[in-house]
Amino acid sequence: MRPGKLARIVGANLRSNAVHFLLASIGVVVGIAAFAFFLALGAGVRSIVLGKIFPLDQLEVVAKTMSMNLGPLSLGMGSDVLDDPVAERLRAIPGVSGVYPKMKLTVPAIGLGGKKLIGNDLRTELIVDGIDPALVAEEIGAAFHDPRPASTPRPCTADKECGGDEFYCGQPLTGGPEKVCREYVPALVSNHLVELYNGSLRRAYNLPRLNQEFLLGFSIEMRVGASMVAASEKDSFLHERVRLVGFSDKAITLGITLPRGHVAAYNVHYGTPEAAKRYHSIIVKVTAKDQVAAVAKAIEQMDLEVTDSGAEQAGMLITVFVLVFSLLSTIIVGIAAINIMHVFFMLVYERQRELGIMRAVGASRGDIRLIILGESVCVGLAAGLVGLLLAWCASLAFDAVSANYVPDFPYKPTTYFEFGPQLVLLALGFAAGFCVLGAFLPARRAARMEPAAVLTGR
């Protein structure tokens, strides 16, 4: 039978039995709606958790240490720093696209400022990390850079005399009565910190919500060597002004992140020249996410450790969540397939004289089988489309309720769902496949009918 003729016969049969097919497809619609809803929810949550909170394309490497618990104390054994030879060895691992050393500020520091932002100046101990500017070059640009060559300080009385947004009029680095033109130290803040503030801290202290774009350019005074703990203070302080130039998931979660060159200079000032060559961790960028496991294993074979970010556990929890609800959806669709089988058996019985005439005028058993299965495919695709539409409408309602009634929390998204092309094709194939499965036995029975027996009623 030609495809065009087959399509006309299937279409006519669908129209004449529309009510039966509509009732039979209700279970498929509900099952596919649930299936698509939970798969889209899982994909959306996964992209947020594993894309923003736990980036999977990078690993943080630290030196391997051993610890001994001595009551309330923990005694660490081994070195906690890395160096350039280790970085070169990491760079040689297959699948590694970049190696970026990190350095902690090993002396205390205090931050002062915030009056223009929240109405009062704050004084707080600062946790400072230093990273390679190349790590964030694509997302931040040249605004985040290492110290530039020193120039002769130019006396000033106001910021406008120094020219440009990157310079200010302030105290010399080591303090002094006369002000000179200085360059702001560029700083990054983690998106985690902003989300934590907007999601929890601001409500606890009745503070305004912070907009990231509004915060860019905000500056505070940083006193390196100063501390709120008297025993930790140094004999002399370094006076700097830190200016926020961007937000990045590669910045330290709690604290500020500066270019590694600045942090190295502070560590050398209060330590030794060797302090500029010792790193506390190294960020390893991986070419593809499916190479992460192999790269991590190679790192461990170098007697180094990969810090546990929690990404693997989070991904596993999301996968289990999606599997459980997908299984429930599959059971719903499976039950619907049994109902479809019953409907097709009934239709085959009611249309046996019609099918017998078709056989008598030349239709083969395969033609009869194709007609029944073609009807089931059409029913499945139609039910799948309606189920996808219901899932999409339910996702819009879910997002609207979240936006209007759920309080802000860290990384609260505008939508929790991802309806990608693969999901749509999977849902439609799933619906059509189960409908064909349900119609298989009725189609087989219809194809085996003998025309003479049907037409004579024997």
Side-chain angles (χ1 to χ4, degrees):
M1 185 179 295
R2 292 180 179 180
K5 187 174 182 180
L6 175 64
R8 288 194 295 272
I9 294 174
V10 169
N13 290 339
L14 290 174
R15 288 191 294 272
S16 61
N17 297 281
V19 175
H20 293 294
F21 289 131
L22 178 63
L23 295 175
S25 63
I26 291 176
V28 179
V29 170
V30 174
I32 293 301
F35 182 76
F37 181 87
F38 290 114
L39 280 185
L41 178 61
V45 173
R46 180 183 291 274
S47 66
I48 296 170
V49 174
L50 301 185
K52 295 182 178 180
I53 302 177
F54 303 112
L56 284 183
D57 61 344
Q58 67 183 41
L59 301 170
E60 185 165 2
V61 180
V62 296
K64 183 172 289 188
T65 59
M66 296 178 60
S67 61
M68 297 178 59
N69 292 324
L70 303 175
L73 302 177
S74 179
L75 178 62
M77 301 174 63
S79 173
D80 62 347
V81 294
L82 307 168
D83 53 19
D84 288 328
V86 173
E88 291 301 320
R89 289 168 57 199
L90 291 171
R91 194 172 282 110
I93 296 176
V96 172
S97 60
V99 173
Y100 307 95
K102 292 180 65 176
M103 183 180 295
K104 296 179 181 178
L105 180 63
T106 56
V107 293
I110 279 182
L112 302 169
K115 186 173 183 179
K116 292 182 178 179
L117 190 64
I118 59 175
N120 292 292
D121 278 329
L122 297 178
R123 177 187 176 95
T124 180
E125 200 88 15
L126 288 180
I127 301 173
V128 181
D129 244 15
I131 63 172
D132 192 332
L135 180 62
V136 293
E138 293 185 3
E139 58 179 316
I140 304 299
F144 189 75
H145 56 80
D146 280 327
R148 290 170 177 163
S151 58
T152 303
R154 181 157 52 96
C156 61
T157 57
D159 291 348
K160 62 182 180 180
E161 298 177 11
C162 298
D165 295 334
E166 296 183 3
F167 299 91
Y168 69 98
C169 184
Q171 289 181 302
L173 184 61
T174 57
E178 295 185 359
K179 292 185 176 182
V180 296
C181 289
R182 300 278 312 282
E183 185 176 12
Y184 282 103
V185 176
L188 300 178
V189 170
S190 170
N191 291 309
H192 296 267
L193 185 59
V194 179
E195 292 292 338
L196 286 173
Y197 171 86
N198 285 333
S200 303
L201 294 178
R202 72 178 184 89
R203 293 198 303 272
Y205 294 96
N206 196 26
L207 297 173
R209 182 183 179 85
L210 297 182
N211 185 303
Q212 291 190 353
E213 294 182 0
F214 175 77
L215 289 174
L216 291 177
F218 174 72
S219 64
I220 62 171
E221 180 183 351
M222 182 176 70
R223 295 179 186 173
V224 183
S227 175
M228 298 177 69
V229 181
S232 301
E233 283 199 333
K234 302 298 180 181
D235 295 333
S236 61
F237 304 153
L238 299 179
H239 297 263
E240 296 275 26
R241 284 202 69 84
V242 175
R243 180 172 174 264
L244 182 61
V245 298
F247 299 87
S248 174
D249 294 326
K250 299 175 180 65
I252 186 175
T253 304
L254 296 175
I256 61 173
T257 300
L258 307 181
R260 181 163 53 88
H262 288 278
V263 176
Y266 304 145
N267 289 343
V268 168
H269 180 83
Y270 289 101
T272 63
E274 287 72 24
K277 302 177 182 179
R278 296 197 303 240
Y279 314 124
H280 295 89
S281 66
I282 296 178
I283 298 295
V284 175
K285 293 277 287 183
V286 183
T287 304
K289 292 182 179 181
D290 57 1
Q291 294 179 306
V292 170
V295 172
K297 184 176 180 180
I299 291 172
E300 291 175 354
Q301 290 175 348
M302 293 172 56
D303 205 28
L304 299 172
E305 289 184 358
V306 177
T307 58
D308 182 13
S309 65
E312 185 175 353
Q313 292 85 346
M316 183 60 67
L317 287 174
I318 295 172
T319 301
V320 171
F321 164 82
V322 173
L323 285 176
V324 169
F325 285 99
S326 297
L327 179 60
L328 293 176
S329 305
T330 303
I331 293 173
I332 295 174
V333 178
I335 295 173
I338 298 175
N339 185 42
I340 286 175
M341 182 187 299
H342 172 74
V343 170
F344 272 98
F345 267 126
M346 181 187 66
L347 291 177
V348 167
Y349 178 78
E350 292 180 354
R351 293 160 52 192
Q352 57 183 339
R353 184 173 182 80
E354 173 191 338
L355 296 174
I357 294 173
M358 292 177 65
R359 287 293 311 280
V361 297
S364 66
R365 295 186 180 211
D367 293 335
I368 301 299
R369 188 182 298 111
L370 284 176
I371 291 172
I372 302 299
L373 294 180
E375 293 171 0
S376 68
V377 169
C378 293
V379 171
L381 291 176
L385 285 173
V386 175
L388 282 169
L389 180 61
L390 284 178
W392 181 67
C393 293
S395 71
L396 294 180
F398 189 97
D399 290 337
V401 170
S402 173
N404 296 319
Y405 300 103
V406 177
D408 289 340
F409 56 85
Y411 286 95
K412 180 181 179 181
T414 55
T415 179
Y416 297 82
F417 302 86
E418 280 190 8
F419 286 91
Q422 292 181 342
L423 173 60
V424 173
L425 293 176
L426 178 62
L428 292 178
F430 197 59
F434 266 89
C435 285
V436 169
L437 183 64
F440 179 76
L441 290 179
R444 184 181 178 185
R445 178 179 177 181
R448 288 183 173 182
M449 287 181 179
E450 292 296 336
V454 171
L455 295 176
T456 59
R458 295 178 181 176

